């Protein structure tokens, strides 16, 4: 679909003549910019967001889309967007403001990297465009790098299939008293519209830039998702469905897909991801590449390393079929992070002064056999299918004595707590890290507390401390002394308004690897 062709020119009172080409990188147009644009429809229907805080500021995001499901509904020219950051919700004391030129090349998305703010405090922000004002969002700066904060409160979540459930979990998450929300991927799903869900995708499986943009617009139309973004800064990474199920680097899960065509599709998916997320310009896509891995210090309390286990990995071994640990599971050339991300991560960890070293990532690191009994069911898509890189990373944590590694994981639509070891076959092998696997927000529908075979799976995998199959997110309270993870679950998502409860709580004491259930 070509955007904008359906637009009625009367909706625009353009202040300038036709535009020269807009500058792709900076958001600053090189030609004339529409300053007195007037739109019939609200351009802020996709809400507002903030992300990636540091001690001086954060990213502010919105995307102008008065007709989100009709190609956005913006004119094919750059548009001025005013932004304000205030110390108070009524904007009496504005501390920063500016003008951004939203360009059609990036779907009139707005990414502002605010600097010069005070550390460790909350701010309010809003945008103005086409004579209209956006909803107000809250964002915060992180504490200075050299101080030890008394507490960090975060939630991590993933997997929000639009058709399979309402975003009740996000409705509750937005109400929590948190410093940041970490989203571990499957923010959208690429599949076609299907019947029998609680609501419906539009169209076929998405492959073009316009289709990816429209899918983001659909997901972002949800009021609970918007409220959760407006309430706090987010730290986002992707999993597979932002592009294509179980892809590995440049390789489709399907046989016979042309690699060049697949990379063109990846370029479209990655660009739409950037356009729709509160990411810094370091994540601007370059063709089919987008650098998403990065690390954020929360004072000396925690270092949040955000990983990308999709873009650089080698193909899943053994045809991506769940099974025993044989064959290419042990390939010495297998990669999960890719060499440069792995090198970067090691450097970050070695230099980290933090009490807690967090790896916010996608696929489960605990090597769990999911088939009870003598048969083996290891996932070939998770770290269990990539034995050499898994051992390399966990050995690094052990040998370099990295302080208190905490792995946060999404992807599999159920909750787990795992002690991580280099050698899972040795019950007496030391625990080198703790992994909290969070369930889905909505993917998979209502779910249930336990599933058949789980007691036996737990017995056969003694490093596993917990399983739950409901929907929700994990709330974490982090202090210099301990990390507490509360598994927050809702009993149903196929109807709205489910209540939330803490199903279980686990604690890790600083200096001692391994989680203990405390509630
Ligand atoms: Fe998912
Ligand atoms: Ca996934």
């Amino acid at each position: 679909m070509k955007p904008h062709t359906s637009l009625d020119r009367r909706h625009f009172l353009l202040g300038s003549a036709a535009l020269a080409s807009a500058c792709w990188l900076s958001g600053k147009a090189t030609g004339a910019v529409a300053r007195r644009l007037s739109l019939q429809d609200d351009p802020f229907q996709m809400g507002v967001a903030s992300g990636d805080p540091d001690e001086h500021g954060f990213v502010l995001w919105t995307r102008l889309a008065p007709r989100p499901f009709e190609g956005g509904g913006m004119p094919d020219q750059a548009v001025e967007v005013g932004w304000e950051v205030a110390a108070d919700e009524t904007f009496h004391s504005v501390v920063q403001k500016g003008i951004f030129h939203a360009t059609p090349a990036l779907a009139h998305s707005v990414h502002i990297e605010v600097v010069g703010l005070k550390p460790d405090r909350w701010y309010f922000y809003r945008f103005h465009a086409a004579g209209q004002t956006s909803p107000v969002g809250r964002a915060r700066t992180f504490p200075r790098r050299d101080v030890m904060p008394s507490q960090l409160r975060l939630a991590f979540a993933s997997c929000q299939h639009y058709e399979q459930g309402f975003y009740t979990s996000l409705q509750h998450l937005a109400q929590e008293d948190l410093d940041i929300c970490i989203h571990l991927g499957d923010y959208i799903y690429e599949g076609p519209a299907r019947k029998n869900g609680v609501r419906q995708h539009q169209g076929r499986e998405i492959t073009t830039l316009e289709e990816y943009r429209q899918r983001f617009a659909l997901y972002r139309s949800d009021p609970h998702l918007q409220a959760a973004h407006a309430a706090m800064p987010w730290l986002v990474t992707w999993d597979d469905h932002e592009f294509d199920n179980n892809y590995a680097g440049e390789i489709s899960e399907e046989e016979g897909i042309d690699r060049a065509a697949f990379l063109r599709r990846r370029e479209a998916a990655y660009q739409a991801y950037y356009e729709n997320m509160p990411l810094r310009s370091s994540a601007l896509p370059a063709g089919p590449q987008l650098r998403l891995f990065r690390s954020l210090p929360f004072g000396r309390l925690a270092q949040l390393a955000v990983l990308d286990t999709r873009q650089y990995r080698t193909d899943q071994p053994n045809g991506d079929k769940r099974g025993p640990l044989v064959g290419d599971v042990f390939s010495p050339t297998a990669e999960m992070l890719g060499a440069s991300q792995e090198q970067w991560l090691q450097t970050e960890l070695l230099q980290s002064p933090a009490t807690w070293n967090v790896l916010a990532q996608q696929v489960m690191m605990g090597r769990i056999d999911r088939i009870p009994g003598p048969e083996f069911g290891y996932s070939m898509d998770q770290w269990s299918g990539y034995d050499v890189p898994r051992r390399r990373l966990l050995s690094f944590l052990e040998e370099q004595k990295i302080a208190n590694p905490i792995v946060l994981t999404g992807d599999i639509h159920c909750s787990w707590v795992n002690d991580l070891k280099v050698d899972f076959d040795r019950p007496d092998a030391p625990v080198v890290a703790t992994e909290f696997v969070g369930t889905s927000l909505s993917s998979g529908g209502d779910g249930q507390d336990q599933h058949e075979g789980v007691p036996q799976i737990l017995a056969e995998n003694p490093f596993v401390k917990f399983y739950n199959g409901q929907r929700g997110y994990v709330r974490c309270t982090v202090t210099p002394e301990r990390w507490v993870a509360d598994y927050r679950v809702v009993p149903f998502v196929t109807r709205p308004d489910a209540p939330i409860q803490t199903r279980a709580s686990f604690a890790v004491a600083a200096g001692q690897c391994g989680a203990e259930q405390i509630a």
Side-chain angles (χ1 to χ4, degrees):
M1 174 187 19
K2 191 151 189 313
H4 318 311
T5 47
S6 65
L7 283 175
D8 184 340
R9 299 281 302 175
R10 284 172 305 171
H11 291 157
F12 301 100
L13 305 168
L14 300 178
S16 317
L19 274 179
S21 65
C23 176
W24 164 267
L25 287 174
S26 67
K28 290 189 181 69
T30 51
V33 176
R35 292 208 167 74
R36 293 190 301 279
L37 177 71
S38 166
L39 298 167
Q40 192 180 53
D41 302 306
D42 176 10
F44 297 110
Q45 293 176 50
M46 291 176 61
V48 300
S50 68
D52 282 29
D54 63 19
E55 60 188 84
H56 307 294
F58 33 69
V59 183
L60 298 180
W61 174 91
T62 190
R63 188 182 138 201
L64 305 179
R67 294 182 187 177
F69 310 133
E70 295 163 47
M74 291 294 291
D76 192 19
Q77 65 180 120
V79 171
E80 254 187 25
V81 183
W83 58 272
E84 297 174 278
V85 174
D88 65 308
E89 199 167 2
T90 56
F91 289 83
H92 284 302
S93 60
V94 171
V95 295
Q96 295 261 355
K97 61 179 178 179
I99 300 284
F100 182 89
H101 293 162
T103 65
L106 289 172
H108 292 95
S109 61
V110 175
H111 297 81
I112 293 147
E113 297 183 58
V114 183
V115 295
L117 300 177
K118 294 192 168 123
D120 199 17
R121 67 184 61 197
W122 285 95
Y123 291 94
F124 299 87
Y125 63 91
R126 65 184 177 189
F127 303 93
H128 307 279
Q132 304 198 47
T133 298
S134 76
V136 173
R138 285 169 85 234
R140 63 161 295 155
T141 52
F142 273 3
R144 276 172 40 181
R145 275 165 190 267
D146 56 345
V147 304
M148 176 57 85
S150 58
Q151 184 176 275
L152 161 64
R153 286 178 48 99
L154 64 88
F156 69 93
S158 60
C159 294
Q160 51 193 32
H161 201 299
Y162 186 81
E163 298 178 317
Q164 294 175 0
F166 293 106
Y167 294 168
T168 316
S169 312
L170 286 167
Q171 183 180 4
H172 292 290
L173 191 154
Q175 301 297 320
E176 303 265 16
D177 180 19
L178 301 169
D179 296 305
I180 195 152
C181 172
I182 302 177
H183 199 291
L184 298 175
D186 290 358
Y187 190 99
I188 59 166
Y189 282 76
E190 81 282 20
R194 289 190 200 283
K195 293 198 175 77
N196 305 322
V198 301
R199 42 193 184 172
Q200 215 174 12
H201 283 165
Q202 300 157 325
R204 60 169 195 167
E205 177 166 337
I206 53 177
T207 62
T208 68
L209 178 58
E210 281 309 316
E211 287 169 335
Y212 280 105
R213 284 171 170 169
Q214 180 152 315
R215 187 60 56 87
F216 273 105
L218 178 67
Y219 278 58
R220 277 198 171 275
S221 70
D222 184 278
H224 300 315
L225 178 60
Q226 291 192 6
H229 272 294
M232 70 197 85
W234 283 39
L235 191 51
V236 300
T237 186
W238 56 33
D239 193 18
D240 50 340
H241 289 287
E242 285 85 350
F243 169 26
D244 190 27
N245 183 50
N246 281 16
Y247 77 97
E250 304 175 1
I251 302 164
S252 168
E253 64 165 343
E254 289 153 63
E255 298 291 323
I257 300 285
D258 176 67
R259 204 178 269 227
F262 196 61
L263 270 182
R264 282 196 298 277
R265 182 178 169 191
R266 191 173 100 170
E267 180 172 345
Y270 283 12
Q271 182 179 333
Y273 186 79
Y274 174 79
E275 290 170 353
N276 286 281
M277 289 294 154
L279 289 168
R280 291 186 183 271
S281 57
S282 57
L284 258 167
Q289 270 98 43
L290 187 157
R291 181 178 158 150
L292 201 51
F293 63 86
R294 61 208 189 276
S295 121
L296 287 78
F298 190 85
R300 290 191 294 117
L301 180 60
Q303 175 160 289
L304 310 172
V306 183
L307 307 184
D308 175 355
T309 60
R310 288 290 168 193
Q311 187 174 181
Y312 313 105
R313 67 157 79 189
T314 50
D315 199 12
Q316 291 92 347
N318 306 346
D320 202 359
K321 295 271 186 318
R322 195 164 82 161
L325 299 174
V326 295
D328 281 345
V329 167
F330 300 102
S331 165
T333 56
E335 299 276 2
M336 181 60 102
L337 299 173
S340 75
Q341 180 177 199
E342 193 170 320
Q343 185 59 55
W344 162 86
L345 177 61
Q346 291 190 357
T347 304
E348 287 292 315
L349 290 169
L350 287 173
Q351 293 174 350
S352 168
T355 300
W356 300 96
N357 285 287
V358 180
L359 307 184
Q361 56 104 49
Q362 295 79 24
V363 288
M364 189 151 70
M365 224 173 266
R367 207 197 64 179
I368 302 180
D369 168 16
R370 298 271 306 262
I371 299 181
E375 225 186 303
F376 291 110
Y378 292 101
S379 168
M380 295 299 116
D381 187 57
Q382 298 164 16
W383 286 87
S384 51
Y386 295 74
D387 196 71
V388 172
R390 182 190 65 73
R391 278 176 188 272
R392 197 161 60 225
L393 177 55
L394 291 170
S395 299
F396 177 84
L397 298 178
E398 181 178 26
E399 287 160 12
Q400 300 299 325
K401 300 184 170 55
I402 301 303
N404 303 304
I406 300 283
V407 179
L408 307 180
T409 302
D411 178 42
I412 47 176
H413 311 171
C414 44
S415 297
W416 305 78
V417 177
N418 304 324
D419 287 344
L420 296 182
K421 303 170 171 205
V422 178
D423 188 350
F424 284 103
D425 294 324
R426 266 183 46 219
D428 61 332
V431 178
V432 303
T434 302
E435 179 175 43
F436 295 112
V437 183
T439 184
S440 65
L441 289 159
S442 63
S443 306
D446 289 337
Q448 59 194 79
D449 190 300
Q450 296 298 309
H451 288 89
E452 209 188 318
V454 164
Q456 205 179 336
I457 289 170
L458 297 192
E460 292 171 16
N461 299 271
F463 54 90
V464 178
K465 305 276 183 80
F466 178 67
Y467 172 85
N468 173 271
Q470 292 171 298
R471 307 285 82 89
Y473 54 90
V474 183
R475 181 181 67 192
C476 300
T477 306
V478 186
T479 66
E481 293 76 38
R482 68 176 193 167
W483 182 296
V484 174
D486 302 318
Y487 279 80
R488 306 277 281 162
V489 299
V490 291
F492 53 86
V493 292
T494 53
R495 290 169 285 135
D497 299 326
I500 192 137
Q501 66 163 127
T502 299
R503 173 63 181 75
S505 296
F506 284 82
V508 182
Q512 290 169 31
C513 284
E516 297 297 333
Q517 187 161 3
I518 56 171

